[in-house]
């Protein structure tokens, strides 16, 4: 049976990002905002670039995909162990599972695979969650 389009339009907009998820408007546990996310991404990308750059001074055949691979490895390794990437932690954020508990290994894998193809990270909802977070069942919050 088709849904009533009028009923869907009657849902009031969120007052703040994360309200529909039961997260506070600000402070600890609130959704990590765009500025922090971009800064964290820049930090992670710089680290992922630095290591192959140093390695290239010793080896002449460093593949261009090594930066992306290292970025992905850092995401998958650090999200379940320290709660987020190095950039997330430096900027005061962490990745949590929406249903609570440990984020596990599956969520970081799914999230990272989608993140490295970039497009899902550019598609956001009103809670400022990228498609990669929605599919993985995670949210990036302030710690």
């Amino acid at each position: 049976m088709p849904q009533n389009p009028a009923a869907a339009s009657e849902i009031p907009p969120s007052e703040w990002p994360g309200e529909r998820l039961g997260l506070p408007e600000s402070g600890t546990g609130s959704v990590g905002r765009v500025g922090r996310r971009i800064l964290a991404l820049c930090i992670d990308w710089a680290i992922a670039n630095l290591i192959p750059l140093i390695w290239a001074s010793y080896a002449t055949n460093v593949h261009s995909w090594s930066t992306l691979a290292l970025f992905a490895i850092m995401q998958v390794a650090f999200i379940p162990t320290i709660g987020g990437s190095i950039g997330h932690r430096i900027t005061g954020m962490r990745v949590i599972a929406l249903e609570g508990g440990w984020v596990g290994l599956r969520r970081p894998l799914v999230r990272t695979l989608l993140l490295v193809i970039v497009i899902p990270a550019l598609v956001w909802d009103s809670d400022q969650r990228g498609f990669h977070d929605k599919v993985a069942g995670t949210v990036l919050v302030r710690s």
Side-chain angles (χ1 to χ4, degrees):
M1 182 171 201
Q3 289 186 352
N4 181 358
S9 65
E10 293 173 10
I11 297 172
S14 298
E15 296 283 323
W16 64 85
E19 177 187 26
R20 295 179 307 153
L21 304 173
L23 300 175
E25 183 175 1
S26 61
T28 302
S30 65
V31 171
R33 301 302 200 267
V34 178
R36 286 179 187 241
R37 290 172 177 261
I38 292 171
L39 180 57
L41 180 64
C42 290
I43 291 168
D44 290 337
W45 194 251
I47 293 168
N49 270 289
L50 183 64
I51 294 170
L53 183 66
I54 292 169
W55 184 260
S57 66
Y58 297 106
T60 57
N61 195 12
V62 175
H63 196 275
S64 62
W65 287 95
S66 61
T67 297
L68 186 60
L70 186 56
F71 176 83
I73 290 167
M74 288 178 4
Q75 298 292 312
V76 172
F78 292 138
I79 289 173
T81 56
I82 64 171
S85 69
I86 295 171
H88 292 148
R89 301 309 288 167
I90 288 172
T91 58
M93 296 186 296
R94 60 190 166 94
V95 177
I96 61 168
L98 273 179
E99 54 199 38
W102 183 51
V103 76
L105 193 55
R106 180 188 58 81
R107 285 184 186 90
L109 277 171
V110 170
R111 184 180 189 277
T112 301
L113 286 174
L114 292 171
L115 184 61
V116 298
I117 63 172
V118 180
I119 302 300
L122 299 176
V123 179
W124 293 32
D125 66 6
S126 64
D127 292 312
Q128 293 185 359
R129 288 175 61 216
F131 186 68
H132 62 296
D133 275 322
K134 289 182 71 86
V135 171
T138 58
V139 62
L140 190 58
V141 297
R142 292 171 62 179
S143 52

